[in-house]
Amino acid sequence: GAGWGSLAHHLMYELAPCALGTRETWLVMGLAALVEKHTIDASTGAFDLRHRSDWRPFDVALSSAKRNIMQEFDKASDQSFLRSFFLYMHDEGLLTPFLNEVRSGASPMGALARVSAIPSHQIEQNWRTWLETRASRLPVLSSAKPFEGAPEL
C-alpha cells in the first residue's frame, strides 16, 4: 500500500535487526506486520492495539486456519498469521519480555519458550483460544488514509 503503515512496515525491516541483534525472519516480519496495521498513541508513546484498517476479520480467519504454528514460524511467509501471533503476545503481556530476552541475546524461539513458560503445543492452544475469544473484540480505527497522522515536514 501507499501510506504510513507501509512506511512503518518497511522501516521495521531495518530497525528491528539493529535493536534486537537478530535477523530471524519470523520475528522481523511479525514486528513489521504488527506496526503496519496498528498505531502508536502520540500523547503517551504507547502501542495502540486498535487496527488502522478493517482487515482484522480477514487476518483472524486466515490465521485460525493454520495447522501448526511452529511450521508457520519456519516458513515466515504469512503476515496475517504473524500479525495475529504478535497481537496475541502483546495482549497477553508477553511481547515486551520476549523482545527484551531477544535483545539480551536469546534466540527468538528460546525467548518465546522462556517468557511463556509453557510447551509449544500449549502456546499454540492459547493462541487459538485467544483468536476465537478476544481477537475479534479488539477495537478498530476507521481506515487510515495514506499518510494520515504523519508529522508535518
Side-chain angles (χ1 to χ4, degrees):
W4 207 226
S6 294
L7 178 62
H9 177 98
H10 289 281
L11 282 173
M12 189 56 69
Y13 285 121
E14 301 303 321
L15 297 174
C18 294
L20 299 173
T22 183
R23 291 193 173 276
E24 184 77 31
T25 305
W26 71 266
L27 171 58
V28 175
M29 186 178 288
L31 287 171
L34 186 65
V35 300
E36 172 185 278
K37 299 288 182 212
H38 303 280
T39 189
I40 303 290
D41 184 316
S43 63
T44 65
F47 186 69
D48 189 337
L49 274 177
R50 293 178 297 166
H51 274 243
R52 294 169 69 110
S53 73
D54 58 3
W55 294 2
R56 181 189 55 206
F58 183 67
D59 279 0
V60 170
L62 287 177
S63 296
S64 61
K66 299 301 176 189
R67 295 203 175 9
N68 181 318
I69 66 171
M70 295 304 157
Q71 289 176 355
E72 293 299 322
F73 288 139
D74 288 340
K75 289 192 299 189
S77 60
D78 185 336
Q79 291 184 31
S80 294
F81 158 70
L82 291 168
R83 180 171 27 258
S84 74
F85 190 78
F86 276 66
L87 271 172
Y88 157 74
M89 286 200 304
H90 183 276
D91 201 36
E92 293 294 312
L94 301 172
L95 186 58
T96 298
F98 166 74
L99 295 174
N100 287 336
E101 285 280 329
V102 171
R103 194 173 64 221
S104 295
S107 72
M109 291 310 288
L112 181 58
R114 209 166 4 265
V115 301
S116 65
I118 55 177
S120 61
H121 72 277
Q122 186 65 50
I123 294 170
E124 181 167 350
Q125 184 177 0
N126 291 357
W127 167 75
R128 288 185 185 285
T129 299
W130 179 86
L131 275 177
E132 294 169 5
T133 58
R134 291 172 40 199
S136 63
R137 295 186 193 126
L138 296 175
V140 180
L141 292 170
S142 59
S143 272
K145 298 178 185 106
F147 300 103
E148 180 179 349
E152 294 294 325
L153 302 177

